[in-house]
Amino acid sequence: MGNKLIDLQGISKSYGKHMVLDDLNLYIRENEFLTLLGPSGCGKTTTLRIIGGFESPDTGRVVFDGQDITNLPPNKRHLNTVFQKYALFTHMTIAENIAFGLKIKGKSKAYIDDKIKYALKLVNLDGFENRMADSLSGGQQQRIAIARAIVNEPKVLLLDEPLGALDLKLRQDMQYELIRLKNELGITFVFVTHDQEEALTMSDTIVVMNQGYIQQVGTPENIYNEPENAFVADFIGDSNIIPGTMIEDELVEFLGTKFKCVDKGFGNNKPVDVVIRPEDVELVTPDKGTIKGVVTHLIFKGVHYEMEVMANGYEWLVQSTKMSPVGTEVGIKVDPFNIQIMNKPESEDEEAVGVDE
Amino acid sequence: MNKARRKNALLASPYIVWIAAFIIIPLLFIGYYGFTDREGNFTWENITTIVRPEYYNALGLSLLLAVISTVICLLLAYPLAYILRNMNMSKQGFIVFVFILPMWMNFLLRTYAWQAILDINGVLDHFLAMFGITDFNIINTPAAIVIGMVYDFLPFMVLPIYNVLVKIDDNVINAARDLGANFWQTLFKIILPLSKPGIASGIIMVFVPALTTFVISDILGGGKLLLIGNLVENKVKADNLNLGAGLSLVLMIFIIINMLFSNGDDTDVNTVKKEVKK
Ligand SMILES: Nc1ncnc2c1ncn2[C@@H]1O[C@H](COP(=O)(O)OP(=O)(O)O)[C@@H](O)[C@H]1O
Ligand SMILES: [Mg+2]
């Protein structure tokens, strides 16, 4: 991946008294698939609209390819947007929709016809030229919206929850389709979603947001395996988040029990949050576990079983390919490597964290 | 017929009675009178009377004034509706309310108000006199009639256009900008075509009453300028129902032409019907 292509510097935005973005700093590199991930209302769309030029920030700058474009209108920016509900032109045919941007730029008819053919092929909708936009299914409209954007050869494609309205199967197909498209076209994608699985599947970089603040920026593996705070841990997949005390380096106490871990540098006897992924909780016979508990719930999830285990006053979420029926007495064991230690929120920034969702 | 449809038919019955009593039957009467003479014998004469100069001229003037009023209403209403659409929600409701308010006032009263304004030694004269302009007489001219028509019928143009404009998704407009269109390109290629149904409804709702009015021409034309509506009124009052009905039928032809011309299939009313069917 290349250099910084888009640089958001100190962006703030309020609607009335409601602060939607507060001093947001973020850069997007050339050819990157970057995803803004967060619960509904956290400011993802607003961020995208500021990049697209549909909203101007109260403070801060938007830098594109080294140029300040904060005050440039959308029609002068070298990027295109795929809007949340497709926003096709319903009074035009598919071909006219796709041709719209090219006609504005005064391209020749031959060039435009070529591009329409090429774009329809790219999104697997050859032969749809003369259909009307509103005669298409959601998934097809979605792909036309993408085709309409990419024929303009933007440097960056902004996509606002483009798969949100599709059903599960179609959504998964489209995820692969989008990744393929991105690789074929070699352009930068800024993708917005509130679906953590989608973000993990598709992205090079994930930006986790909550209440207008960036919580963590990293690769999918990074975000999943090493969440920096309880909000991220909770939002990305299910987690056991348990308050505890860091006794000393590599030793943490929670639920009245001491556990070995691998984290250092938190100081001695400091309050922390402990995060353990449900698939990292091992169920063993009671005598072999660090603590003892009883299975209270059991659900079959396809790939694995999901169980809840009551142990030392905390209901542990456990995923395993082996099942233990409700009522079984079990021991709980966790590999030290799988225990994530996180600072308790102190600053105001971090307090926005984990309030709801 | 299944249950649901039978229930629908039952629910529709008062409406069907209403249509029969107040639309179909009167129309049949007009048709009957229009094609008969006083003795009840069939004749074309009531229809062909229109070629006589006094009738022909009145129809011509009516068409001209109706077209002018409709065009002026459209030119005023479109920007207004567009500005309204782009206002934030809380203000929008209030302004729309202000706009509808005069429609609650009696139509005659509003027209008489204009008479008071435009009359010789009226409000306008006094106002112009302050700037040293005298002898500006507009009352009893076609211009006065057009002013009255525009004022009375403007809301009927604004509302249907406003209705289609608010339904256009912001992101459709944003998409056009995103694809490189400037303000005017977005207006002419996206917003105007998408608001065609509203424009069509507005044109019908202004043109039809403007073409048939006799009240406005009576009050602001001083009874000297006869529109086709005045002639129909005179004939009916003079107990010549047959000629009145014949002239009405001729008028109806122009109204139907107007409706076809403003793309009957695309009007707001029809769009609503289609949506209901879905
Ligand atoms: N035009 C607006 N006027 C007032 N509030 C808005 C406006 N647009 C967005 N907001 C508010 O800003 C917050 C963030 O919105 P948004 O960026 O759309 O969130 P997301 O896309 O993450 O769901 C929400 O609380 C929303 O209600
Ligand atoms: Mg959003």
Side-chain angles (χ1 to χ4, degrees):
Chain A
M1 262 169 288
N3 311 320
K4 284 187 193 179
L5 186 59
I6 297 175
D7 200 358
L8 302 179
Q9 303 173 348
I11 302 282
S12 302
K13 178 78 191 171
S14 309
Y15 292 109
K17 282 193 194 116
H18 179 37
M19 187 80 139
V20 178
L21 297 175
D22 189 3
D23 190 28
L24 182 118
N25 289 286
L26 176 69
Y27 63 84
I28 299 153
R29 284 172 300 176
E30 218 168 322
N31 216 356
E32 184 173 23
F33 195 125
L34 180 133
T35 299
L36 301 176
L37 173 67
S40 178
C42 73
K44 306 180 298 288
T45 297
T46 305
T47 308
L48 211 64
R49 286 167 58 81
I50 286 172
I51 300 174
F54 304 110
E55 203 75 71
S56 51
D58 300 335
T59 66
R61 303 196 316 151
V62 182
V63 177
F64 184 89
D65 223 358
Q67 247 190 323
D68 187 337
I69 60 161
T70 317
N71 298 315
L72 212 60
N75 51 328
K76 301 259 168 68
R77 300 190 179 197
H78 294 289
L79 34 82
N80 286 112
T81 309
V82 176
F83 291 92
Q84 201 153 4
K85 281 188 208 113
Y86 325 137
L88 295 183
F89 306 134
T90 48
H91 61 296
M92 296 181 182
T93 63
I94 296 308
E96 286 166 339
N97 265 277
I98 297 175
F100 188 84
L102 300 172
K103 275 191 192 148
I104 297 274
K105 290 182 194 79
K107 302 284 189 197
S108 74
K109 185 167 178 333
Y111 177 89
I112 294 177
D113 286 347
D114 261 10
K115 273 284 185 188
I116 293 173
K117 268 227 170 64
Y118 160 79
L120 283 177
K121 202 177 175 73
L122 204 62
V123 296
N124 286 329
L125 287 175
D126 320 60
F128 274 64
E129 281 89 344
N130 295 320
R131 297 274 296 268
M132 291 305 284
D134 50 7
S135 74
L136 269 53
S137 72
Q140 291 169 335
Q141 290 193 34
Q142 181 54 69
R143 283 183 274 169
I144 296 302
I146 293 168
R148 181 178 68 176
I150 59 180
V151 289
N152 302 286
E153 301 178 355
K155 284 194 177 169
V156 180
L157 196 61
L158 309 175
L159 303 105
D160 192 355
E161 311 221 13
L163 312 182
L166 308 183
D167 61 49
L168 184 66
K169 180 75 179 63
L170 194 56
R171 196 157 70 219
Q172 285 166 345
D173 291 347
M174 282 298 294
Q175 287 174 5
Y176 288 108
E177 201 116 324
L178 276 177
I179 296 169
R180 174 181 67 83
L181 262 179
K182 186 192 163 284
N183 293 337
E184 263 174 52
L185 298 167
I187 54 182
T188 308
F189 274 38
V190 183
F191 188 90
V192 163
T193 183
H194 64 260
D195 179 337
Q196 42 107 3
E197 252 180 67
E198 198 165 280
L200 291 171
T201 312
M202 303 176 73
S203 322
D204 298 320
T205 306
I206 295 178
V207 178
V208 184
M209 293 176 68
N210 189 32
Q211 302 198 358
Y213 295 100
I214 292 179
Q215 303 293 328
Q216 187 172 355
V217 181
T219 63
E221 290 86 351
N222 195 255
I223 299 262
Y224 188 84
N225 292 329
E226 282 150 49
E228 273 171 22
N229 59 44
F231 174 80
V232 177
D234 193 34
F235 194 73
I236 306 283
D238 302 309
S239 278
N240 295 292
I241 302 174
I242 311 164
T245 309
M246 198 71 183
I247 307 287
E248 55 185 53
D249 281 355
E250 303 187 7
L251 188 67
V252 63
E253 182 185 325
F254 55 94
L255 305 178
T257 315
K258 292 192 173 70
F259 283 81
K260 278 215 169 69
C261 64
V262 294
D263 295 77
K264 294 179 207 171
F266 283 85
N268 294 346
N269 296 313
K270 280 278 151 62
V272 292
D273 276 325
V274 178
V275 174
I276 302 166
R277 294 283 177 198
E279 65 269 26
D280 293 334
V281 180
E282 276 179 77
L283 295 187
V284 292
T285 49
D287 53 307
K288 290 203 179 120
T290 320
I291 53 177
K292 292 188 186 68
V294 179
V295 178
T296 56
H297 283 99
L298 170 70
I299 317 168
F300 179 57
K301 284 271 196 158
V303 188
H304 55 74
Y305 293 93
E306 192 166 281
M307 287 157 283
E308 281 172 13
V309 178
M310 186 51 109
N312 289 15
Y314 181 82
E315 190 127 274
W316 292 67
L317 189 67
V318 183
Q319 289 171 352
S320 165
T321 50
K322 279 176 283 181
M323 76 141 182
S324 310
V326 173
T328 319
E329 297 208 358
V330 292
I332 286 178
K333 233 178 87 178
V334 189
D335 189 314
F337 188 76
N338 288 328
I339 294 179
Q340 299 291 326
I341 308 292
M342 289 173 314
N343 272 317
K344 281 257 191 221
E346 281 166 25
S347 71
E348 201 188 283
D349 274 34
E350 283 167 320
E351 249 182 44
V353 151
V355 178
D356 49 21
E357 226 299 301
Chain B
M1 229 201 301
N2 62 30
K3 243 189 192 166
R5 280 184 56 188
R6 210 175 307 153
K7 198 174 143 209
N8 281 347
L10 202 67
L11 284 174
S13 53
Y15 182 60
I16 291 166
V17 171
W18 169 275
I19 291 183
F22 294 103
I23 299 178
I24 309 275
I25 294 175
L27 264 179
L28 289 176
F29 269 105
I30 292 176
Y32 170 76
Y33 281 115
F35 288 106
T36 51
D37 61 20
R38 282 169 191 258
E39 278 73 49
N41 302 318
F42 177 83
T43 176
W44 285 103
E45 200 168 325
N46 298 319
I47 309 286
T48 51
T49 305
I50 195 69
V51 298
R52 278 162 46 191
E54 54 169 318
Y55 293 91
Y56 180 84
N57 288 340
L59 178 63
L61 183 63
S62 298
L63 281 170
L64 180 69
L65 296 191
V67 168
I68 292 174
S69 305
T70 307
V71 169
I72 293 176
C73 277
L74 182 59
L75 292 179
L76 290 176
Y78 202 90
L80 204 75
Y82 184 75
I83 291 167
L84 264 180
R85 178 205 178 274
N86 289 341
M87 262 197 244
N88 69 38
M89 273 308 182
S90 49
K91 278 191 210 152
Q92 232 173 58
F94 175 71
I95 304 278
V96 171
F97 173 74
V98 164
F99 234 81
I100 296 177
L101 203 58
M103 291 168 74
W104 293 352
M105 238 190 305
N106 186 293
F107 170 80
L108 276 174
L109 216 62
R110 281 183 286 153
T111 312
Y112 275 117
W114 273 104
Q115 191 187 36
I117 293 170
L118 300 179
D119 220 346
I120 297 164
N121 286 325
V123 179
L124 182 69
D125 276 2
H126 284 290
F127 179 74
L128 290 176
M130 292 196 302
F131 300 94
I133 303 170
T134 51
D135 286 342
F136 183 84
N137 281 330
I138 195 172
I139 193 77
N140 302 343
T141 65
I145 297 178
V146 168
I147 290 177
M149 285 181 179
V150 169
Y151 180 78
D152 281 333
F153 303 137
L154 186 62
F156 297 108
M157 186 67 92
V158 175
L159 290 179
I161 293 177
Y162 169 78
N163 273 339
V164 288
L165 285 181
V166 288
K167 274 189 243 151
I168 299 177
D169 184 358
D170 275 336
N171 275 344
V172 169
I173 295 168
N174 285 341
R177 304 280 281 140
D178 185 80
L179 293 165
N182 61 29
F183 172 80
W184 294 108
Q185 287 166 324
T186 309
L187 180 66
F188 284 112
K189 288 176 195 237
I190 305 295
I191 302 173
L192 263 178
L194 284 175
S195 44
K196 243 172 47 190
I199 296 174
S201 308
I203 288 178
I204 292 171
M205 287 172 74
V206 171
F207 183 80
V208 172
L211 183 63
T212 53
T213 185
F214 54 88
V215 175
I216 297 176
S217 45
D218 257 357
I219 298 174
L220 298 173
K224 284 177 211 144
L225 288 159
L226 288 183
L227 298 185
I228 190 76
N230 299 99
L231 291 180
V232 173
E233 186 207 14
N234 292 345
K235 296 307 154 198
V236 173
K237 272 191 182 157
D239 237 11
N240 192 349
L241 267 181
N242 304 82
L243 186 51
L247 293 174
S248 300
L249 286 173
V250 173
L251 214 47
M252 227 180 280
I253 294 170
F254 285 92
I255 290 168
I256 290 167
I257 290 174
N258 162 256
M259 285 183 165
L260 292 179
F261 182 72
S262 27
N263 199 351
D265 195 45
D266 236 23
T267 57
D268 221 13
V269 185
N270 281 313
T271 324
V272 172
K273 268 193 224 146
K274 262 186 239 156
E275 266 165 31
V276 171
K277 264 188 217 152
K278 273 184 205 160

